[in-house]
């Protein structure tokens, strides 16, 4: 990328418009990161976080409420500097979840 061009993040581009598949939606936006979630029945907590410098973090949350309160543990799946690689990581994770339930 040219050093004089702005990153996708600094341009405030919604990646659902041109980069991510139609299964994703931007569910949160702030000046620190954007959060994209994928509509699915296997892991509703699967997300791609888009940070400045076009850094993409794929993660999920594992929640446990057996102790009387909801406790969440972050499950880091990968860090990428290309949105398509991040989406591939999320899709591979979902495929593995589907295969583990067969």
């Amino acid at each position: 990328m040219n050093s004089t061009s702005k990153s996708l993040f600094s341009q405030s581009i919604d990646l659902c418009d041109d980069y991510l598949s139609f299964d994703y939606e931007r569910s949160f936006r702030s000046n620190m990161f954007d959060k994209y979630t994928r509509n699915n029945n296997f892991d509703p907590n699967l997300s791609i976080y888009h940070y400045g410098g076009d850094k993409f973090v794929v993660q999920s949350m594992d929640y446990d409420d057996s102790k009387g309160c909801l406790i969440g543990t972050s499950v880091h799946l990968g860090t990428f500097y290309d949105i398509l690689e991040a989406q591939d990581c999320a899709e591979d994770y979902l495929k593995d979840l589907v295969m583990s339930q067969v």
Side-chain angles (χ1 to χ4, degrees):
M1 178 167 52
N2 185 330
S3 62
T4 60
S5 66
K6 288 184 170 183
S7 72
L8 293 173
F9 187 80
S10 64
Q11 294 179 61
S12 299
I13 293 176
D14 183 344
L15 299 178
C16 296
D17 294 339
D18 295 319
Y19 297 93
L20 293 171
S21 72
F22 67 91
D23 295 322
Y24 288 87
E25 65 182 358
R26 183 163 61 183
S27 58
F28 180 81
R29 173 152 181 68
S30 73
N31 64 344
M32 297 296 293
F33 65 89
D34 293 345
K35 179 181 176 183
Y36 295 89
T37 54
R38 186 187 188 287
N39 299 320
N40 71 87
N41 296 326
F42 299 101
D43 186 348
N45 302 308
L46 177 63
S47 302
I48 298 174
Y49 292 84
H50 181 202
Y51 294 92
D54 290 334
K55 175 181 168 184
F56 302 94
V57 176
V58 182
Q59 70 180 38
S60 183
M61 291 295 290
D62 184 20
Y63 292 104
D64 179 18
D65 62 358
S66 63
K67 297 177 182 160
C69 62
L70 190 62
I71 299 170
T73 303
S74 175
V75 179
H76 180 80
L77 300 170
T79 300
F80 306 92
Y81 290 91
D82 181 293
I83 185 58
L84 298 178
E85 289 178 3
Q87 181 176 257
D88 286 346
C89 174
E91 296 303 313
D92 288 345
Y93 168 73
L94 285 175
K95 287 176 191 172
D96 289 345
L97 279 179
V98 170
M99 295 306 292
S100 70
Q101 294 183 8
V102 174

